[in-house]
């Protein structure tokens, strides 16, 4: 962690900082509340702090993302935000409005090195990890701009969250802590492509978050075609890690399954998948894959998706077809960032 990144500090670290700066530890609670509850972006706004302390704190810059672009869906009000980081990198976040509340999907890295074949975010590789403050501020800015409370958070945007493990844990603890937005861990979902050692590590933390595992295939051979990570960890190892997660946390696993026409959407694929996950406490999210122009994948037909779901249900496995949000705005995740970067490149 960057030692001056004040928004990534937990309350204990903030208390030590106050002592180090020659002030009272109780000031930590005030600063924490300004940063994580009132979502201010400058020390001038922290009106109950003495001026001398505010001056000392100016050596600890407050992470505040700048909006570079917003796209609003005319169909369902979904908003895609493109945020600029202090080093000029850009990341994407999405606000989805549901009847049960507002949900924000955030990025955890700038780019991604996992190379999933159906994903636009990985095409340029990984640039860097996001700090906890940069993950938090995607939610804070969106709540601040819209004036609407965010009640659900999914870490499912650009990046593999478990490849940025320490910052992710820090982010979850601050997001769910009292004195900040205090979002229940049950309303936080972390999506992984299946980094087995980190899933076992996360299980030991005994958090109440939902783990979503990108499965996308019923066997190793097909999974390896779609996801290079499957060459490192077999499906058996990944599913064992998911069982361990459930055993240690009691939290039901969500399996994400993107349906690609002619690749993983047949009756045989459904039957094989059932054989692998039957008996697990799980739920399957079926996602009609978003076409991206750099790859030749074609989305499964509505009928094939429905049929796949019925096949799972016959085996006693619950499935949901993910409702597409914001389908009239820049397509799959990572594409708004990509088109922005291409535009910036062509203007150079
Ligand atoms: S799907 Fe997720 S893990 Fe896979 S390349 Fe895209 S961002 Fe990375």
């Amino acid at each position: 962690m960057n030692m001056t990144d004040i928004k990534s500090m937990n309350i204990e670290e903030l208390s030590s900082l106050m002592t180090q700066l020659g002030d009272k530890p109780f000031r930590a609670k005030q600063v924490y509340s300004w940063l994580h509850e009132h979502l201010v972006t400058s020390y001038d706004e922290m009106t109950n702090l003495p001026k001398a302390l505010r001056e000392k704190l100016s050596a600890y810059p407050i992470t505040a993302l700048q909006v570079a672009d917003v796209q609003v869906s005319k169909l369902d009000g979904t908003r895609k935000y493109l945020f600029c980081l202090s080093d000029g990198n850009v990341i994407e976040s999405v606000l989805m409005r549901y009847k049960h509340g507002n949900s924000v999907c955030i990025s955890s890295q700038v780019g991604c090195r996992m190379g999933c074949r159906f994903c636009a975010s990985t095409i340029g590789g990984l640039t860097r990890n996001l700090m906890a403050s940069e993950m938090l501020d995607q939610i804070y800015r969106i709540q601040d701009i819209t004036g609407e409370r965010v009640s659900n958070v999914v870490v499912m945007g650009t990046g593999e969250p478990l490849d940025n493990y320490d910052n992710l844990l820090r982010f979850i603890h601050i997001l769910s802590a009292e004195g900040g937005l205090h979002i229940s861990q049950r309303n936080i979902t972390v999506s992984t492509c299946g980094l087995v050692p980190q899933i076992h590590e996360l299980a030991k933390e005994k958090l109440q978050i939902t783990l979503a595992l990108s499965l996308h295939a019923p066997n190793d051979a097909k999974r390896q075609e779609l996801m290079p990570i499957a060459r490192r960890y077999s499906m058996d190892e990944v599913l064992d890690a998911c069982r361990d997660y459930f055993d240690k946390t009691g939290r039901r696993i969500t399996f994400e399954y993107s349906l690609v026409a002619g690749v993983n959407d047949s009756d045989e694929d459904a039957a094989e998948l059932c054989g692998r996950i039957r008996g697990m406490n799980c739920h399957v999210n079926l996602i009609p894959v978003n076409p991206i122009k750099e790859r030749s994948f074609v989305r499964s037909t509505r009928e094939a998706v429905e049929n796949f779901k019925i096949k799972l249900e016959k085996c006693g496995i619950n499935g949901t077809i993910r409702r597409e949000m914001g389908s009239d705005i820049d397509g799959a995740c990572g594409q708004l960032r990509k088109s922005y970067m291409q535009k910036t490149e062509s203007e150079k």
Side-chain angles (χ1 to χ4, degrees):
M1 181 187 137
N2 173 345
M3 298 313 284
T4 63
D5 179 14
I6 194 161
K7 203 179 265 184
S8 290
M9 291 180 192
N10 60 34
I11 191 77
E12 292 77 25
E13 289 160 344
L14 216 39
S15 291
S16 321
L17 177 65
M18 291 306 137
T19 313
Q20 198 186 309
L21 295 178
D23 219 300
K24 305 273 186 312
F26 80 88
R27 294 283 179 209
K29 223 171 168 185
Q30 293 176 320
V31 173
Y32 194 89
S33 164
W34 282 116
L35 292 173
H36 301 288
E37 197 175 1
H38 300 287
L39 316 182
V40 305
T41 54
S42 74
Y43 291 111
D44 290 342
E45 295 167 86
M46 302 186 184
T47 45
N48 56 358
L49 298 189
K51 196 157 177 275
L53 176 59
R54 281 187 261 159
E55 272 162 19
K56 285 185 212 161
L57 284 171
S58 62
Y60 297 82
I62 302 175
T63 298
L65 309 184
Q66 304 294 322
V67 179
D69 195 8
V70 190
Q71 291 190 347
V72 185
S73 164
K74 292 191 183 67
L75 299 175
D76 53 34
T78 294
R79 285 165 180 259
K80 282 202 175 187
Y81 291 88
L82 195 69
F83 288 116
C84 208
L85 307 173
S86 59
D87 62 2
N89 278 305
V90 286
I91 51 167
E92 236 182 76
S93 325
V94 184
L95 165 68
M96 292 155 289
R97 293 187 165 103
Y98 295 104
K99 278 194 213 90
H100 61 265
N102 285 352
S103 183
V104 169
C105 174
I106 65 152
S107 297
S108 56
Q109 294 178 313
V110 181
C112 181
R113 60 179 174 155
M114 295 297 140
C116 303
R117 299 274 303 145
F118 46 81
C119 176
S121 302
T122 192
I123 288 171
L126 174 69
T127 304
R128 71 167 172 88
N129 283 331
L130 291 186
M131 300 181 295
S133 59
E134 293 168 322
M135 290 188 247
L136 290 164
D137 212 48
Q138 297 171 59
I139 302 155
Y140 293 0
R141 284 313 105 226
I142 290 176
Q143 182 157 311
D144 197 44
I145 295 163
T146 60
E148 296 172 24
R149 175 158 173 84
V150 172
S151 52
N152 285 274
V153 171
V154 286
V155 190
M156 208 180 266
T158 297
E160 164 51 58
L162 299 187
D163 192 32
N164 185 12
Y165 188 83
D166 293 343
N167 288 328
L168 176 80
L169 272 197
R170 188 171 271 283
F171 158 80
I172 293 169
H173 283 300
I174 296 177
L175 185 64
S176 57
E178 279 181 34
L181 287 193
H182 199 193
I183 294 181
S184 160
Q185 289 188 356
R186 290 175 170 260
N187 293 348
I188 302 172
T189 298
V190 170
S191 171
T192 176
C193 66
L195 301 187
V196 168
Q198 287 90 330
I199 295 174
H200 287 297
E201 277 306 302
L202 190 65
K204 284 190 220 150
E205 296 288 331
K206 293 197 171 55
L207 301 175
Q208 282 301 294
I209 59 167
T210 299
L211 185 69
L213 193 284
S214 296
L215 203 53
H216 303 315
N219 57 44
D220 282 316
K222 288 200 177 193
R223 198 158 183 263
Q224 285 169 7
E225 266 177 49
L226 295 169
M227 308 170 75
I229 192 70
R231 287 182 217 133
R232 196 169 344 149
Y233 305 111
S234 69
M235 243 175 104
D236 281 344
E237 288 174 299
V238 172
L239 293 178
D240 277 349
C242 290
R243 286 187 191 95
D244 180 40
Y245 188 83
F246 174 76
D247 290 345
K248 294 214 167 73
T249 64
R251 298 290 293 156
R252 184 181 76 168
I253 299 286
T254 297
F255 290 118
E256 306 282 331
Y257 195 102
S258 291
L259 287 150
V260 187
V263 174
N264 62 1
D265 66 345
S266 69
D267 285 356
E268 295 71 40
D269 293 322
E272 199 175 358
L273 178 64
C274 287
R276 302 299 290 252
I277 63 174
R278 187 183 279 136
M280 286 181 78
N281 203 320
C282 66
H283 184 92
V284 180
N285 258 339
L286 296 170
I287 311 155
V289 76
N290 266 311
I292 50 174
K293 52 176 191 299
E294 293 77 2
R295 311 272 202 244
S296 53
F297 294 136
V298 179
R299 171 194 297 239
S300 300
T301 61
R302 186 81 207 169
E303 200 189 349
V305 177
E306 294 282 357
N307 183 44
F308 205 93
K309 177 171 181 276
I310 292 167
K311 289 268 171 334
L312 294 185
E313 280 167 354
K314 279 191 180 148
C315 297
I317 297 165
N318 285 328
T320 310
I321 299 173
R322 181 165 320 147
R323 204 172 107 217
E324 238 187 311
M325 300 293 283
S327 57
D328 56 331
I329 53 178
D330 231 324
C333 87
Q335 290 194 346
L336 175 59
R337 171 173 171 259
K338 234 173 110 276
S339 47
Y340 175 88
M341 280 163 46
Q342 278 161 355
K343 195 168 137 245
T344 327
E345 277 300 307
S346 66
E347 284 166 4
K348 274 184 190 163

